[in-house]
Amino acid sequence: MSYGASRFRTVRRPTVEVAVGTVGVGGANPIRVQSMTTSDTQDVAATVRQAVALAEVGCEIVRITAPNVQAARCLREIRAEFTAAGFGRIPLVADIHFLPQAAMEAVEHVEKVRVNPGNYADKKRFAVREYSDADYEREMQRLYESFSPLVRRSKELGRAMRIGTNHGSLSDRIMNRYGDTPLGMVESALEFLRIAESHGYRSLILSMKSSNPKVMIQAYRLLVDRMERESMRYPLHLGVTEAGDGEDGRIKGAIGIGSLLLDGLGDTIRVSLTEDSVYEIPVARAIADKAMSLWAPEPAHAAKEGETDAVDPYHFSRRETSSLALGAGSEVGPERPPRVIVRVGSIDAVPAAMRDLASPRLKETPAEGLLIPVESAAGIAELRAALAGQAAPVSFLALETGPDLLSADAASFLEGGAGRVVIVRRFGPAGGAELADWARLVRRTGHFLAVDAGPGTLAQLGPGIRALGDDNLLFTFSGPPEANGHALGAYRRIADELLKAGSRAPIWIRNTAANAIRGDNSFLSRLLEASFLTGGLLCDGLGDLVSIETEPDPARSARLAYNVLQGAGARVSKTEFVACPSCGRTLFDLQTTTQRIRAQTGHLKGVKIAIMGCIVNGPGEMADADFGYVGGAPGRINLYLGKQCVQYNVPQAEADARLVALIKEHGKWREPEPAHA
């Protein structure tokens, strides 16, 4: 593993500093936050107003689309008016996809140019053919001739450049040799990077964007691995593209960006939301601040000493676990989705929580386990009274035991026909005998033990864990992490310790106040924490049960857990929307259209719908979507089945109904239930 100094602590990857105007990116600079205007670039006044609004809420770099030469020419006036408004220190970036001529115009006026290597002066006929080495070399020579003028001019003017690969728009050359893969994304960027370096130009930043956080995470890791082999230290811009809006968009962005920042990767970020761009900045700022609070002071080489890792960070595969039947419909193990547990703060809160969790509103997002703190034998008696006459809406109970609760106290409850119960017990390094005692108890009574222990403790308990086997056991960690560590790294180390001990016991991811990174207690902060920890681990293939205990409302905790599971691609509970943020290329109002389509199709569990203002990022961005609603021309919509366009130039007034008809035609439609409607 060479993409970072440590996967267990946040040791920032050292990079060269790239000057974007007066703003430094990488090196010793903080993580920079950026966003993009959504107006028509040729409407200079509107674009300047949006750029000013972004700057006023803390945006440090503003990107503006330049889809053609006319739009690129407008950047001169936009730059002048933005400076006159008092924002001369904030750099502007021209977003270029297809036209070298537009890039050559834009570079004259702004501090940075972003090029998409899959689109820029490249062929994309989505043709299936074999490229011989000679064919490939001819393509590379053509690319060299097309891209070199922009490189030379950028070097002359002191401009920066981002080589921004997008998963959905890889060239035919890349697709036919590497496929629609993270490796293909990396190779696409490296082709352009090597051309730039051949001219001695190194004011470069790179990105690997995808709407799928797993793909995005793997692509960045692979890119850094490849660059490390060639002693390249360029900064990275992080983002999950087409993330969507609302809670879902924030979760997807935080999973991808947060996972990499905690790995020490990333120097500038954008959270892409299908909302007004100003709403992206507070989310990005909160993500960056959390990550920077973890930056370890140790030199990078010190972090790797003695570290091993159970996870292949470049290829997703779910950790193999033993099976546990925690309750009806709540089996844990191979081919089973992660199970959702919610926590109550006290035994007194159990009856109200039971009523809330029985609500029909939680039909698609049910809490499968209820975690209850029980400190002593008296607590067992209180719990019995609280449960008396209750029709439990959960499959199992989990009892978080205090040090005053002994196995003898718990035995009477476990033997009293309480249904399936998970005992959650914290163990220290010298707790081997106690662990064996509790393990014998749950096996004798047919229940389960969740061993709450940090990785250092597990390393000490390893021989005892090996002797106990996997039956009736699972492992968790409520925190706090070790000094200079984080909970994501702690769970990764726990997986490694279990591998060393020969244990395939399931892992329960607990988001607790003790695990949390520094921040306020807002819902946004809790959402980001859950996305970083639970989402990051799920994208590593780790995690069989999930609880978000920082959210005090059990019903809301359950919904948030399911949203994180869906964002990480681990469990589907509703329709998923791949929706791009607006920009000057958009051919319809993305925000209102997304909300309108969501209102009509949001009940279709397991269906994935892409809503894209144009096709600039390529149909590959809809690779795992079932249906696509894409701007084809002003007032016209193209409808897709997967990556294939099946209806062209549909009048926008008819497009919603035609999309519903297409969903019905392919057997994915069901009528909404009255409660949903």
Side-chain angles (χ1 to χ4, degrees):
M1 195 276 292
S2 61
Y3 78 84
S6 175
R7 279 174 41 87
F8 309 135
R9 292 180 290 169
T10 301
V11 181
R12 191 183 188 190
R13 170 180 170 259
T15 73
V16 299
E17 178 179 352
V18 172
V20 184
T22 61
V23 174
V25 174
N29 292 289
I31 296 167
R32 301 298 188 182
V33 168
Q34 60 178 277
S35 185
M36 189 173 186
T37 60
T38 63
S39 56
D40 181 344
T41 305
Q42 295 185 65
D43 186 341
V44 171
T47 303
V48 172
R49 279 197 304 272
Q50 289 194 8
V52 168
L54 284 169
E56 288 177 338
V57 295
C59 183
E60 296 171 283
I61 300 172
V62 177
R63 183 155 51 109
I64 302 170
T65 188
N68 51 50
V69 174
Q70 292 79 9
R73 287 183 182 135
C74 292
L75 294 172
R76 178 195 295 272
E77 188 176 353
I78 292 167
R79 175 70 271 177
E81 292 192 14
F82 191 46
T83 299
F87 299 100
R89 61 184 174 77
I90 294 181
L92 298 180
V93 181
D95 194 52
I96 305 292
H97 276 268
F98 296 104
L99 299 178
Q101 302 95 315
M104 293 301 294
E105 177 68 31
V107 75
E108 301 294 325
H109 312 307
V110 295
E111 290 76 20
K112 180 181 171 187
V113 174
R114 179 265 174 144
V115 296
N116 180 341
N119 289 343
Y120 190 87
D122 218 332
K123 297 178 180 178
K124 194 182 286 86
R125 301 190 180 96
F126 306 105
V128 178
R129 55 163 290 192
E130 292 295 325
Y131 279 79
S132 67
D133 290 344
D135 292 335
Y136 209 94
E137 184 55 38
R138 280 192 291 271
E139 281 285 284
M140 290 307 302
Q141 183 59 36
R142 182 187 60 78
L143 188 63
Y144 180 91
E145 293 168 359
S146 298
F147 185 48
S148 289
L150 177 62
V151 171
R152 288 193 294 264
R153 189 59 177 154
S154 296
K155 185 178 179 182
E156 290 168 3
L157 294 173
R159 308 301 198 207
M161 185 186 300
R162 171 157 68 95
I163 299 173
T165 304
N166 193 288
H167 184 216
S169 52
L170 300 178
S171 67
D172 284 356
R173 175 183 66 260
I174 291 291
M175 288 286 286
N176 282 281
R177 180 160 287 196
Y178 298 100
D180 186 15
T181 63
L183 180 59
M185 295 170 66
V186 170
E187 290 296 333
S188 181
L190 290 177
E191 289 179 350
F192 278 64
L193 183 56
R194 291 180 182 121
I195 293 172
E197 286 201 327
S198 73
H199 294 284
Y201 176 69
R202 291 179 172 81
S203 296
L204 297 163
I205 299 168
L206 289 95
S207 65
M208 299 273 118
K209 291 193 175 184
S210 172
S211 63
N212 184 326
K214 281 198 198 82
V215 172
M216 172 260 199
I217 291 167
Q218 291 169 30
Y220 276 102
R221 290 172 176 170
L222 279 169
L223 173 67
V224 174
D225 178 84
R226 292 294 299 277
M227 289 199 298
E228 287 290 321
R229 296 182 194 184
E230 300 183 38
S231 299
M232 297 175 176
R233 294 284 182 170
Y234 295 108
L236 301 175
H237 168 68
L238 306 184
V240 176
T241 191
E242 277 94 30
D245 61 354
E247 196 170 309
D248 295 336
R250 285 158 175 79
I251 287 169
K252 262 193 174 183
I255 289 173
I257 296 169
S259 297
L260 292 165
L261 288 178
L262 265 60
D263 280 349
L265 308 184
D267 306 281
T268 172
I269 65 174
R270 181 195 178 190
V271 178
S272 298
L273 299 176
T274 311
E275 303 174 17
D276 290 343
S277 298
V278 291
Y279 296 120
E280 298 178 354
I281 305 305
V283 186
R285 184 75 271 153
I287 290 173
D289 288 346
K290 284 181 181 292
M292 288 190 293
S293 74
L294 293 173
W295 281 351
E298 295 92 347
H301 64 81
K304 276 191 179 180
E305 292 177 5
E307 288 187 358
T308 59
D309 193 352
V311 173
D312 177 353
Y314 305 115
H315 305 91
F316 175 82
S317 64
R318 192 172 173 192
R319 174 177 174 266
E320 294 185 8
T321 65
S322 55
S323 297
L324 299 180
L326 298 181
S330 294
E331 296 81 4
V332 172
E335 308 302 322
R336 303 290 186 179
R339 301 302 177 184
V340 172
I341 301 171
V342 299
R343 187 181 191 275
V344 293
S346 67
I347 294 172
D348 292 343
V350 169
M354 291 286 200
R355 289 192 297 272
D356 290 346
L357 296 175
S359 169
R361 293 182 295 113
L362 297 182
K363 179 182 178 181
E364 300 295 343
T365 57
E368 292 154 309
L370 181 64
L371 176 60
I372 306 165
V374 182
E375 296 294 329
S376 63
I380 291 287
E382 291 175 27
L383 180 60
R384 278 203 181 97
L387 294 173
Q390 292 281 346
V394 295
S395 299
F396 61 93
L397 299 178
L399 308 188
E400 186 171 29
T401 63
D404 294 335
L405 184 72
L406 305 178
S407 58
D409 301 327
S412 62
F413 185 79
L414 297 179
E415 292 167 343
R420 293 300 181 111
V421 176
V422 178
I423 295 291
V424 187
R425 187 77 177 178
R426 188 72 182 261
F427 295 96
E434 185 188 10
L435 171 58
D437 184 31
W438 281 90
R440 282 193 295 269
L441 170 64
V442 296
R443 283 171 179 164
R444 177 172 60 81
T445 56
H447 296 283
F448 307 92
L449 176 65
V451 179
D452 183 354
T457 295
L458 289 185
Q460 304 252 7
L461 297 176
I465 292 170
R466 185 177 293 106
L468 289 173
D470 295 341
D471 294 344
N472 299 72
L473 290 182
L474 50 115
F475 288 83
T476 189
F477 177 59
S478 59
E482 297 170 354
N484 292 328
H486 48 68
L488 179 64
Y491 274 97
R492 287 169 171 169
R493 286 187 60 198
I494 286 168
D496 191 53
E497 293 299 336
L498 293 178
L499 179 65
K500 292 174 184 174
S503 174
R504 298 172 63 243
I507 291 175
W508 171 3
I509 306 170
R510 295 183 64 188
N511 297 260
T512 68
N515 270 342
I517 303 168
R518 186 181 67 190
D520 58 33
N521 193 35
S522 66
F523 179 71
L524 173 62
S525 182
R526 297 195 294 272
L527 177 150
L528 297 180
E529 294 284 350
S531 302
F532 283 16
L533 177 56
T534 297
L537 289 169
L538 292 170
C539 287
D540 271 351
L542 303 178
D544 307 283
L545 303 97
V546 170
S547 59
I548 300 176
E549 300 167 37
T550 52
E551 174 51 58
D553 179 348
R556 194 172 190 182
S557 171
R559 289 195 296 270
L560 178 56
Y562 276 96
N563 286 343
V564 173
L565 288 167
Q566 180 138 341
R571 186 170 181 178
V572 175
S573 58
K574 60 183 179 181
T575 316
E576 183 164 350
F577 296 93
V578 177
C580 61
S582 296
C583 72
R585 298 182 300 265
T586 299
L587 295 166
F588 56 78
D589 187 311
L590 268 162
Q591 294 181 46
T592 59
T593 301
T594 299
Q595 294 301 324
R596 194 177 65 246
I597 293 175
R598 187 194 302 275
Q600 299 174 72
T601 63
H603 63 288
L604 300 176
K605 178 179 177 179
V607 175
K608 194 169 186 177
I609 300 173
I611 305 169
M612 303 174 71
C614 69
I615 202 62
V616 69
N617 280 336
E621 203 57 75
M622 301 183 290
D624 52 356
D626 300 295
F627 304 96
Y629 181 108
V630 180
R636 299 283 170 170
I637 303 299
N638 295 339
L639 298 180
Y640 282 72
L641 184 64
K643 290 194 291 184
Q644 181 181 1
C645 187
V646 293
Q647 296 185 34
Y648 291 90
N649 293 321
V650 176
Q652 192 166 356
E654 303 173 14
D656 290 15
R658 296 271 283 272
L659 174 64
V660 170
L662 185 65
I663 295 170
K664 289 179 177 178
E665 178 186 340
H666 288 85
K668 298 281 189 176
W669 182 263
R670 63 179 175 87
E671 294 300 325
E673 295 182 5
H676 180 89

